[in-house]
Amino acid sequence: MSDPDAYVALVSSLPSSERLFVAKRPPLSRLRLNRRLSALSETHAQTLARIERLLSWSAYDPGSDLDTLVGRAKVLMSDLPHRTLRRIVDERMELRTAVAALRMRHGGAGAPEGAWGYGVWTSQIAANWREPAFGLERSLPWLRQAGQLLEQGDPLGLQRHLLDVTFRQLQRHAGRHHFDFEAVVIYVLKWNIFDRWAKADSVAAAQRFTELSEDALKNFPHLKAEGATA
Protein backbone atom coordinates (compact mmCIF):
# COMPACT_ATOMS: atom_id res chain seq x y z
CA MET A 1 0.00 0.00 0.00
CA SER A 2 1.40 3.39 -0.94
CA ASP A 3 1.69 6.24 1.57
CA PRO A 4 -0.76 9.02 0.59
CA ASP A 5 1.34 11.66 2.36
CA ALA A 6 4.43 10.58 0.43
CA TYR A 7 2.53 10.98 -2.84
CA VAL A 8 1.30 14.43 -1.88
CA ALA A 9 4.91 15.40 -1.15
CA LEU A 10 6.07 13.85 -4.43
CA VAL A 11 3.54 15.64 -6.62
CA SER A 12 4.08 18.92 -4.74
CA SER A 13 7.82 18.67 -5.47
CA LEU A 14 7.34 18.48 -9.23
CA PRO A 15 7.75 21.83 -11.00
CA SER A 16 4.88 23.08 -13.09
CA SER A 17 5.21 22.38 -16.79
CA GLU A 18 5.58 25.31 -19.15
CA ARG A 19 3.37 25.48 -22.20
CA LEU A 20 4.10 22.72 -24.66
CA PHE A 21 6.37 23.73 -27.57
CA VAL A 22 7.26 27.02 -25.83
CA ALA A 23 9.68 25.46 -23.34
CA LYS A 24 13.08 24.62 -24.80
CA ARG A 25 13.60 21.74 -22.40
CA PRO A 26 11.64 19.78 -19.78
CA PRO A 27 11.18 21.59 -16.44
CA LEU A 28 13.63 19.20 -14.74
CA SER A 29 16.13 16.60 -15.89
CA ARG A 30 15.29 12.90 -16.06
CA LEU A 31 17.88 12.24 -13.37
CA ARG A 32 16.18 14.66 -10.99
CA LEU A 33 12.77 13.29 -11.94
CA ASN A 34 13.89 9.72 -11.24
CA ARG A 35 15.16 10.75 -7.82
CA ARG A 36 11.72 12.06 -6.96
CA LEU A 37 10.04 8.99 -8.38
CA SER A 38 11.94 6.88 -5.85
CA ALA A 39 9.08 7.74 -3.47
CA LEU A 40 6.77 5.43 -5.44
CA SER A 41 5.88 2.07 -4.01
CA GLU A 42 7.57 -0.89 -5.71
CA THR A 43 4.32 -1.93 -7.37
CA HIS A 44 3.61 1.55 -8.69
CA ALA A 45 7.20 1.99 -9.88
CA GLN A 46 6.89 -1.23 -11.89
CA THR A 47 3.56 -0.15 -13.36
CA LEU A 48 4.96 3.22 -14.41
CA ALA A 49 7.96 1.54 -16.01
CA ARG A 50 5.71 -0.79 -18.00
CA ILE A 51 3.57 2.09 -19.26
CA GLU A 52 6.64 4.07 -20.28
CA ARG A 53 8.15 1.08 -22.07
CA LEU A 54 4.95 0.57 -24.01
CA LEU A 55 4.60 4.21 -25.05
CA SER A 56 8.29 5.02 -25.64
CA TRP A 57 9.63 4.50 -29.17
CA SER A 58 13.15 4.01 -27.83
CA ALA A 59 12.02 0.64 -26.44
CA TYR A 60 11.37 -0.74 -29.94
CA ASP A 61 13.50 -1.81 -32.84
CA PRO A 62 13.14 0.49 -35.91
CA GLY A 63 11.38 -2.32 -37.80
CA SER A 64 8.81 -3.09 -35.11
CA ASP A 65 5.33 -3.39 -36.58
CA LEU A 66 1.98 -2.43 -35.15
CA ASP A 67 1.18 -6.03 -34.26
CA THR A 68 4.12 -6.05 -31.83
CA LEU A 69 2.93 -2.85 -30.20
CA VAL A 70 -0.66 -4.09 -29.95
CA GLY A 71 0.45 -7.35 -28.37
CA ARG A 72 2.42 -5.54 -25.69
CA ALA A 73 -0.49 -3.19 -25.01
CA LYS A 74 -2.89 -6.09 -24.50
CA VAL A 75 -0.52 -7.75 -22.03
CA LEU A 76 -0.27 -4.54 -20.03
CA MET A 77 -4.01 -3.89 -20.11
CA SER A 78 -4.75 -7.40 -18.86
CA ASP A 79 -3.52 -6.50 -15.37
CA LEU A 80 -3.65 -2.69 -15.22
CA PRO A 81 -6.21 -1.92 -12.49
CA HIS A 82 -6.28 1.88 -12.73
CA ARG A 83 -9.22 3.05 -14.84
CA THR A 84 -7.68 6.38 -15.84
CA LEU A 85 -4.40 4.77 -16.85
CA ARG A 86 -6.26 2.18 -18.89
CA ARG A 87 -8.01 5.00 -20.73
CA ILE A 88 -4.73 6.80 -21.34
CA VAL A 89 -3.21 3.66 -22.86
CA ASP A 90 -6.36 3.10 -24.93
CA GLU A 91 -6.26 6.65 -26.33
CA ARG A 92 -2.57 6.48 -27.20
CA MET A 93 -2.89 3.11 -28.88
CA GLU A 94 -5.96 4.22 -30.84
CA LEU A 95 -4.02 7.27 -31.99
CA ARG A 96 -1.11 5.14 -33.15
CA THR A 97 -3.42 2.73 -34.95
CA ALA A 98 -5.14 5.58 -36.81
CA VAL A 99 -1.83 7.19 -37.80
CA ALA A 100 -0.45 3.82 -38.90
CA ALA A 101 -3.50 3.49 -41.15
CA LEU A 102 -2.82 6.95 -42.61
CA ARG A 103 0.73 5.89 -43.39
CA MET A 104 -0.38 2.64 -44.99
CA ARG A 105 -2.87 4.43 -47.20
CA HIS A 106 -0.29 7.08 -48.06
CA GLY A 107 2.02 4.26 -49.15
CA GLY A 108 -0.63 2.92 -51.52
CA ALA A 109 -1.95 0.01 -49.50
CA GLY A 110 -5.56 -1.09 -49.61
CA ALA A 111 -7.81 -1.43 -46.59
CA PRO A 112 -6.56 -3.97 -44.04
CA GLU A 113 -8.58 -7.14 -43.59
CA GLY A 114 -9.29 -9.26 -40.55
CA ALA A 115 -8.06 -8.40 -37.06
CA TRP A 116 -5.60 -5.54 -37.14
CA GLY A 117 -4.62 -2.58 -35.00
CA TYR A 118 -5.94 -1.63 -31.61
CA GLY A 119 -9.16 -0.17 -30.27
CA VAL A 120 -12.73 0.47 -31.28
CA TRP A 121 -12.08 2.22 -34.60
CA THR A 122 -10.34 -0.51 -36.61
CA SER A 123 -13.47 -1.75 -38.40
CA GLN A 124 -14.63 1.76 -39.27
CA ILE A 125 -11.18 2.71 -40.56
CA ALA A 126 -11.10 -0.32 -42.86
CA ALA A 127 -14.68 0.26 -44.04
CA ASN A 128 -14.02 3.94 -44.85
CA TRP A 129 -10.49 3.57 -46.16
CA ARG A 130 -10.75 6.23 -48.86
CA GLU A 131 -12.38 8.87 -46.68
CA PRO A 132 -9.85 11.58 -45.68
CA ALA A 133 -10.29 10.87 -41.96
CA PHE A 134 -11.84 7.40 -42.34
CA GLY A 135 -15.23 8.91 -41.45
CA LEU A 136 -13.97 9.68 -37.93
CA GLU A 137 -14.03 13.48 -38.07
CA ARG A 138 -16.32 13.76 -35.05
CA SER A 139 -14.73 11.01 -32.96
CA LEU A 140 -11.10 11.82 -33.83
CA PRO A 141 -11.16 15.48 -34.92
CA TRP A 142 -7.36 15.68 -35.03
CA LEU A 143 -7.10 12.96 -37.68
CA ARG A 144 -7.90 15.03 -40.76
CA GLN A 145 -5.07 17.49 -40.06
CA ALA A 146 -2.70 14.61 -39.39
CA GLY A 147 -3.56 13.20 -42.80
CA GLN A 148 -3.01 16.56 -44.46
CA LEU A 149 0.40 16.99 -42.85
CA LEU A 150 1.35 13.50 -43.94
CA GLU A 151 0.30 14.19 -47.53
CA GLN A 152 2.19 17.50 -47.48
CA GLY A 153 5.39 15.73 -46.44
CA ASP A 154 5.71 17.75 -43.23
CA PRO A 155 7.12 15.27 -40.66
CA LEU A 156 7.98 17.89 -38.07
CA GLY A 157 4.53 19.45 -38.34
CA LEU A 158 2.96 16.01 -38.01
CA GLN A 159 5.06 15.22 -34.96
CA ARG A 160 4.14 18.53 -33.33
CA HIS A 161 0.44 17.99 -34.09
CA LEU A 162 0.38 14.49 -32.62
CA LEU A 163 2.34 15.50 -29.54
CA ASP A 164 -0.13 18.34 -29.00
CA VAL A 165 -3.07 15.92 -29.32
CA THR A 166 -1.44 13.56 -26.83
CA PHE A 167 -0.70 16.38 -24.40
CA ARG A 168 -4.30 17.57 -24.51
CA GLN A 169 -5.52 14.04 -23.82
CA LEU A 170 -3.33 13.92 -20.72
CA GLN A 171 -4.54 17.35 -19.63
CA ARG A 172 -8.14 16.15 -19.62
CA HIS A 173 -7.26 13.29 -17.30
CA ALA A 174 -5.05 15.46 -15.11
CA GLY A 175 -8.05 17.52 -14.05
CA ARG A 176 -9.37 14.53 -12.10
CA HIS A 177 -6.12 13.55 -10.38
CA HIS A 178 -3.94 15.73 -8.20
CA PHE A 179 -2.00 13.88 -5.49
CA ASP A 180 -2.32 10.21 -6.40
CA PHE A 181 -0.42 7.67 -8.47
CA GLU A 182 -2.35 8.57 -11.61
CA ALA A 183 -1.22 12.19 -11.22
CA VAL A 184 2.40 11.01 -11.09
CA VAL A 185 2.05 8.89 -14.24
CA ILE A 186 0.37 11.75 -16.11
CA TYR A 187 3.20 14.10 -15.11
CA VAL A 188 5.85 11.65 -16.31
CA LEU A 189 4.08 11.12 -19.63
CA LYS A 190 3.87 14.90 -20.07
CA TRP A 191 7.57 15.11 -19.27
CA ASN A 192 8.25 12.58 -22.02
CA ILE A 193 6.34 14.77 -24.49
CA PHE A 194 8.41 17.82 -23.55
CA ASP A 195 11.60 15.79 -23.83
CA ARG A 196 10.63 14.37 -27.22
CA TRP A 197 9.83 17.79 -28.63
CA ALA A 198 13.03 19.31 -27.21
CA LYS A 199 15.01 16.65 -29.07
CA ALA A 200 13.08 16.99 -32.30
CA ASP A 201 15.20 17.70 -35.35
CA SER A 202 13.72 18.55 -38.72
CA VAL A 203 16.38 16.72 -40.69
CA ALA A 204 16.09 13.57 -38.60
CA ALA A 205 12.30 13.78 -38.76
CA ALA A 206 12.38 14.08 -42.54
CA GLN A 207 14.70 11.10 -42.81
CA ARG A 208 12.47 9.02 -40.54
CA PHE A 209 9.42 10.06 -42.60
CA THR A 210 11.10 8.84 -45.79
CA GLU A 211 12.12 5.55 -44.19
CA LEU A 212 8.60 4.89 -42.95
CA SER A 213 7.06 5.74 -46.31
CA GLU A 214 9.44 3.39 -48.12
CA ASP A 215 8.81 0.61 -45.63
CA ALA A 216 5.03 1.04 -45.57
CA LEU A 217 4.28 -1.68 -48.10
CA LYS A 218 6.88 -4.18 -46.91
CA ASN A 219 5.45 -7.26 -45.24
CA PHE A 220 1.86 -6.08 -45.86
CA PRO A 221 -0.63 -6.68 -44.24
CA HIS A 222 1.51 -5.98 -41.18
CA LEU A 223 1.15 -2.27 -40.45
CA LYS A 224 4.33 -0.43 -39.58
CA ALA A 225 4.18 1.39 -36.27
CA GLU A 226 4.32 5.12 -36.98
CA GLY A 227 7.39 6.87 -35.67
CA ALA A 228 6.27 10.49 -35.57
CA THR A 229 4.13 10.40 -32.48
CA ALA A 230 4.23 10.48 -28.75
Side-chain angles (χ1 to χ4, degrees):
M1 180 68 68
S2 60
D3 180 356
D5 291 337
Y7 280 39
V8 170
L10 168 58
V11 174
S12 298
S13 74
L14 298 173
S16 298
S17 299
E18 299 179 55
R19 287 180 297 141
L20 186 61
F21 309 127
V22 174
K24 294 183 178 180
R25 59 181 59 88
L28 76 169
S29 69
R30 184 69 203 211
L31 179 61
R32 292 173 60 198
L33 177 58
N34 285 343
R35 287 173 180 167
R36 292 172 184 176
L37 294 176
S38 64
L40 292 174
S41 69
E42 182 178 355
T43 298
H44 281 168
Q46 291 173 351
T47 299
L48 172 60
R50 292 180 67 192
I51 293 172
E52 285 200 272
R53 282 196 298 270
L54 173 67
L55 301 182
S56 172
W57 287 110
S58 63
Y60 297 87
D61 296 329
S64 295
D65 60 23
L66 188 60
D67 288 341
T68 299
L69 190 60
V70 169
R72 294 182 185 183
K74 289 181 177 179
V75 171
L76 173 62
M77 293 289 279
S78 67
D79 61 356
L80 184 61
H82 308 275
R83 181 177 179 181
T84 294
L85 300 184
R86 291 175 64 86
R87 186 59 193 140
I88 287 172
V89 172
D90 272 341
E91 289 173 344
R92 190 75 65 87
M93 290 299 302
E94 288 168 353
L95 180 149
R96 290 182 172 178
T97 292
V99 176
L102 287 175
R103 290 191 180 281
M104 286 298 300
R105 187 177 64 188
H106 180 71
E113 299 178 356
W116 73 280
Y118 183 100
V120 299
W121 308 117
T122 54
S123 295
Q124 185 165 345
I125 289 173
N128 297 276
W129 190 247
R130 295 303 169 190
E131 295 294 323
F134 306 116
L136 293 171
E137 289 87 348
R138 298 182 68 177
S139 300
L140 303 177
W142 55 267
L143 190 56
R144 179 181 287 272
Q145 183 177 349
Q148 292 171 345
L149 291 167
L150 180 63
E151 294 298 328
Q152 293 166 6
D154 184 359
L156 198 62
L158 177 59
Q159 183 176 19
R160 178 178 179 135
H161 177 55
L162 296 178
L163 290 176
D164 183 55
V165 171
T166 303
F167 182 80
R168 292 177 186 278
Q169 290 175 344
L170 292 172
Q171 284 286 71
R172 288 196 296 271
H173 295 293
R176 296 188 291 273
H177 297 277
H178 301 285
F179 298 104
D180 54 12
F181 175 55
E182 289 88 338
V184 176
V185 174
I186 290 169
Y187 186 94
V188 172
L189 295 181
K190 285 183 180 179
W191 186 95
N192 288 334
I193 291 175
F194 277 89
D195 185 58
R196 186 174 178 86
W197 182 247
K199 294 176 179 176
D201 179 88
S202 59
V203 175
Q207 180 179 354
R208 182 63 175 150
F209 175 86
T210 300
E211 292 171 353
L212 285 166
S213 296
E214 291 175 347
D215 287 344
L217 295 179
K218 293 179 181 179
N219 303 317
F220 183 79
H222 299 291
L223 298 177
K224 286 292 180 181
E226 93 290 355
T229 184

